[in-house]
Amino acid sequence: MVAGAGLAGGRTCAELRAQGYDGDIVLLGAEALPPYDRPPLSKQPVGGQIAEPDHLGLDLADLGVDFRPLTRATSLEGATVAADQQLAVGTCGEDGRAGRLDASAVVIATGAVAIVPPGWQLGPRVQVLRSRDDAVRWSTAVGGLAPGADVLVLGGSWIGLEAASSLGSAGMAVSMMEQGAWLLPGLPPEVGRQVREWDEAAGVQVLLGAPATGVLADADTGVMVTTATRELRAELVLVALGAAPDTGWLLTSGLRRSPRSGAVRTDASLRTADPRVVAVGDAAERWSPRYAAWLPGGHWQDAFDAPVVAAASVIAGLAGRRATGAYDAVPYFWSEMFGHMLQWTGWLPDYRQSTMLRRGVAADWTFGWLTPGPGAGLAALLACDRPRDAVAARRAQAADPGGVPPVSAELFVDPGVPLKQVFAAPAAGPAAAQGCPASRVPATALARLLHRARELPPDPRVGQPPVPVVVRHGVVLPAFERPGHDVGRLMEQQQ
């Protein structure tokens, strides 16, 4: 039983089959659609028709998966350390009827839900942006506004910033309220200051240190948002206060959850206290031997890569074997806003205990945070429009047992020196950087599961179409080989 039909749930189904599991697989999905790619929802233009969903090459029928749409998991029974009781998942279908499904193993992949404060009522004028249905409603609402209409975004994190970027391009008058002292409050303040410059250059009015205390919508007069000291009015409001793991259905399961976020805690093999139950994606918080810390899910790369280990742990548990695989990838995520690509790699629990360095010019730059003291290592890196820096740092971090490769601070700040030459240790290959077994990369990453493959127009210098490519995080990879193309040389150049 796989509870949750997002990227992590769909990928786990595919990996179970790829690793030889031939038993029944039931996939529960809260939405009507099978697994699809979510990042484009907050980045695509608004005010018009939403693009068709990208199902990431996953064909559930071909995989022999019993997909049950519009069906939520509501409870989990039988999870024990001794694993001596029957597992059962309580369900609620589209008609509201409760059900109960027995399972030999359960994968928790229910993702996350948008945070909406108690008492706030969502509706046509007050919306969130988490699912494709949300994106359709949001784009329709924006399309119904006149140019220059006032739109207010509550929250200055990734979703809010990406939405503000799209709203500005649509000709709206955009304001953003963030309760923290800087935008992207989950990252060091230097990042927030840089992003604020982009906001204000695009005409977005930024209000910091201003938590909203109430939202009142009226069909005729718009929306009034109150803070401790002022009132603001807008015709449309987007609530982008972040997301929380969708694990409320596990309150009585007995599984250990994070006191901070409510995510289900797992070991490095993604197993919970009951070895028959694994958790993956936004709903999980995994133990990292590399960092000796609990790392949250919540990013596309984890949801894509971690199911390789999750599926292996399920199969081992069903066979009565101890799971030996581990998922201990370096955290990585990316975003696009205001015409810029941002890529983060690394783990930085407290920026105040690090030294920040910068390389690059005003237009494209890279921030790096180094551990203090002699033998400084790169704990985290954020690259703006410098994908080669992100790739080099990610490989070096993946190759280092502690995820903090030694680095020359003097060379780091010199943009003329390729970042891969800044590290004292040799860099790992792309498979290690993604946290995937190397043998699985060609089959899963290129042939079947990487998405956004695009046929480029014919090249007049060659007289034939060039290599169809997958563009991911600024790195171009061939989607498949075609006679006459030197695929190996292309990959070598891009890497």
Side-chain angles (χ1 to χ4, degrees), residues 7 29 65 114 119 141 149 161 177 226 267 273 300 377 425 447 458:
L7 173 60
V65 174
L161 287 164
M177 288 177 56
T226 58
D267 62 14
W300 189 97

Side-chain angles (χ1 to χ4, degrees), residues 50 54 159 306 463:
I50 296 296
D54 180 353
I159 297 295

